[in-house]
Amino acid sequence: MLKRSFFAVAILAAVFVVFGSEANAQGGTFLGARTVPDRSDHDTLVVGSKRGYFRRLQFRVKVHGVDFHKVKVHYGNGGSEEIDLRDRIPAGGQTRWIDLNGGSRTIEKIEFWYDAVTTRGRGAKVNIWGAR
């Protein structure tokens, strides 16, 4: 009986380690989300410098695919950076981690231009994550 209990606990611990490390591999801080319509459009996510410093961004897409055209990051010091993001991200997919120029910086807002591939009025969902 003791061997079975030990075996069950060992299996549960292994499952937690595997899934915990997968979540850590995704990593980052959730900055916000936008539901995007089925057309070419432009959207803005206000982050605010009070959220802290970030050195990388990642876009994660849910429900439907999204064709990204470009991203413009506005920093807390008044500067901005345009990122030429020309990727089609399928539903459930994500961009690579995008390094920001100048290292860790506060982000006031993130603008992005896209075409969403949606059906029956259900918009795609874009989640934006930052890494410190």
Side-chain angles (χ1 to χ4, degrees), residues 11 20 29 49-51 56 65-66 70-72 75 78-79 81 90 96 111 113-114 117 119 126 132:
I11 288 177
T29 300
S49 56
K50 292 180 182 177
R51 297 288 302 271
R56 301 186 307 167
V66 175
K70 73 175 177 178
V71 174
K72 188 169 188 178
Y75 297 111
E81 174 181 357
R96 70 194 188 288
E111 294 180 277
W113 288 259
Y114 58 86
V117 185
T119 57
V126 176
R132 298 184 192 278

Side-chain angles (χ1 to χ4, degrees), residues 16-64:
F16 284 122
V17 167
V18 168
F19 286 111
S21 62
E22 185 176 317
N24 288 339
Q26 286 286 325
T29 300
F30 179 69
L31 299 178
R34 290 288 177 263
T35 299
V36 300
D38 186 15
R39 63 180 183 274
S40 293
D41 209 344
H42 159 259
D43 222 321
T44 302
L45 174 72
V46 176
V47 177
S49 56
K50 292 180 182 177
R51 297 288 302 271
Y53 291 85
F54 297 94
R55 59 183 171 83
R56 301 186 307 167
L57 294 177
Q58 185 179 64
F59 292 77
R60 300 178 188 173
V61 175
K62 298 191 181 284
V63 185
H64 295 287

Side-chain angles (χ1 to χ4, degrees), residues 103-115:
S104 292
R105 305 173 77 173
T106 60
I107 299 172
E108 284 299 322
K109 65 183 178 181
I110 301 166
E111 294 180 277
F112 56 101
W113 288 259
Y114 58 86
D115 289 311

